[in-house]
Amino acid sequence: MDRISHTTAVDIGGGRRGFRSKDTVGGVPGTVLTATHMNATQEEMLKIIESAGFAPDPNDLTQLAQAFQSGALNFAVATGTANAWVVAPALAIAAYKIGRALWVKAPATNTSTIVNANLSGLGDRRIKKANGLDPAVGDLTSGRWYPVFDDGANLCVTATLPSDVRTALVGLTGNCLLWLDGTQLRLSPKNGSQLIVSGVPVQIPLVGPTLSTAGNANSTDYFIYAYLDGNGDLKLEKSTTVFTTGVDGTPVKTGDASRAHVGIAGSNAAGAWEDSFTNRLVRSYYNRESKRIFNRFTADRQTAAGSGTPAEINTEIRCNFICYPDDLIDGFATGYCFNSGASGTTYTAVTYDGTGTNNAGISAVFGTAGGPVAPHQQISGLSAGRHYATLTGYNSTGTGTWGGNTSSAPSCLLHLSLR
C-alpha cells in the first residue's frame, strides 16, 4: 500500500503525500481520489478481514476490529516433524523481522536439542529458549501452543519450558545428607527437605530411608541412589554403576535417570559400612561435612629407601577416605624421626594413593639426633571413590626411623582434613 499519488496531492509534512480540501472561493481544487488509491485501501483492509476467516459483510462495520481481536493472524498450527517445523500463518509473512511475535502449535515432541522452523517458506530458523539456549529433548510437547519471538537470528520460545523449571529446582533441592546411623546408611533432610527424583522434587521424610549392609562385598565402594518404589515411597539402593549428570543438571545413575545419586559408601574388610577416624568411607553428595581423619605408628618404623626412590614407610598409618573430585584433602604429619648416620638426611612426605610426592611439602631432618616430622600436602581433583593418604620417606644415606611411641622417638601421626 502507498499514499495517494496524484498531481493534486500535497505535502502534509515530512515528505508525506496527503489530501487537501477544495477551496471554491480561492479556485483551488481538492485532491483527486484515484481508483488506485481507493482500491489499495479497500484491499488492504479486506486482506486482514478475509485472512482472519471473515466473509466481507456490508452491514457489519466492525469486521476489521474483529479480525485484529481474533488473533487469527498471529498463530499457526505447525506441520512437519518433531525437529523440523513447517509454519504457515493464515497471512503469509513476507520476510523474517526482529520483534515479530507468533503463537505456534508444536507438531510433535522434539527428540533433539536442534529444532528448526520454516516460516512461510522463508527458510529454516533455529528455535531457541528465551535465554538463547537450545531446548532440551522433550521441552516442546506435541500439540502444545508456544509464544515465539523473532530476535533477528532465531525464533525464541518465550514460555517457561520443562528444562527451565528443572534448572530452577536444582538450587532448591538436594536438601539431604547421607550418613552412617549405627550400622546402616540413612538419608536425612538437611537445609530443607527436597530431592529431585525422576525429574521432580520429592519430599524427604523426617526419618529418612536406610540401607543395610545386606549383600555388601568386602572392601567395595558403592554409589548410593535414591528412588521411588511402586508405592511412591523414597528408598535407597547401592550399585557399582557410576553416576552421571542428568538432563536437569542433577546427578543420576548412568543408564537410569530414575535413580538420584546421593552419596558414596564403602564397605570395610568385614563388609560393614564404616565412618571412623581412620576409615571415612561414607560421603554425602549434598551438604558435605568437613571430616577429620588420623592414624599413627604403633611401633618404630624404618626404610632405607634412597634419594629419588621414596617408599611407603608402613601401611599401618594409612588414612582411608571417600571423596568427590571437588573435595579438598589437607594432610600433614607430626612426630619424630632420625637417620642412622651422623651425616645422613631423612625426608618425609604425605602422599595420596602412594604417589605424587611434592618436594614443596617434604620435611627433612639431619643425623642421628633427628628432629620433628612436619610434612604438609594438599590435593583435590581425585576421582569419586576411595583413596588413602600415607607417609613416604627416603634418605640421602643410611636408614630412617620414624617414631612409634617408644623411648627413642615420639609416635608419628598422620592428620587429614576432608572438606
Side-chain angles (χ1 to χ4, degrees), residues 303-306 308-314 347 349 351 354 357 390-394 402:
T303 182
T309 56
E312 184 174 17
I313 299 166
N314 193 279
Y347 300 88
T351 60
T357 298
T390 190
L391 287 183
T392 56
Y394 63 94
W402 286 261

Side-chain angles (χ1 to χ4, degrees), residues 123-279:
D124 286 344
R125 275 211 167 173
R126 286 282 288 276
I127 293 180
K128 298 280 189 175
K129 299 200 296 183
N131 59 7
L133 299 178
D134 290 323
V137 172
D139 260 352
L140 305 171
T141 305
S142 177
R144 180 165 293 182
W145 287 98
Y146 294 99
V148 176
F149 178 85
D150 188 338
D151 70 356
N154 306 290
L155 299 177
C156 298
V157 175
T158 57
T160 299
L161 299 178
S163 62
D164 298 320
V165 176
R166 291 193 296 266
T167 299
L169 287 173
V170 169
L172 302 175
T173 60
N175 310 129
C176 56
L177 177 72
L178 182 72
W179 59 291
L180 184 60
D181 183 6
T183 61
Q184 60 188 358
L185 300 177
R186 184 180 295 278
L187 186 71
S188 295
K190 183 172 183 178
N191 296 328
S193 59
Q194 298 286 311
L195 175 68
I196 290 181
V197 181
S198 292
V200 297
V202 173
Q203 185 81 13
I204 303 171
L206 183 60
V207 180
T210 60
L211 186 63
S212 73
T213 60
N216 278 6
N218 296 342
S219 303
T220 301
D221 295 341
Y222 295 98
F223 296 92
I224 310 302
Y225 298 100
Y227 69 98
L228 296 174
D229 67 8
N231 297 319
D233 296 326
L234 192 64
K235 301 291 185 181
L236 295 179
E237 71 174 20
K238 59 196 170 195
S239 173
T240 55
T241 300
V242 300
F243 67 95
T244 188
T245 301
V247 295
D248 58 6
T250 62
V252 297
K253 185 178 182 179
T254 299
D256 187 355
S258 70
R259 267 53 180 168
H261 178 64
V262 294
I264 307 174
S267 61
N268 59 22
W273 304 124
E274 184 174 348
D275 188 24
S276 65
F277 282 119
T278 57
N279 290 296

Side-chain angles (χ1 to χ4, degrees), residues 67 275 294 332 381:
D275 188 24
F294 67 86
F332 67 96

Side-chain angles (χ1 to χ4, degrees), residues 33-49:
L33 297 178
T34 66
T36 299
H37 179 74
M38 295 304 294
N39 287 331
T41 302
Q42 169 184 280
E43 293 307 310
E44 186 87 10
M45 290 186 289
L46 284 172
K47 182 66 172 177
I48 295 172
I49 292 170

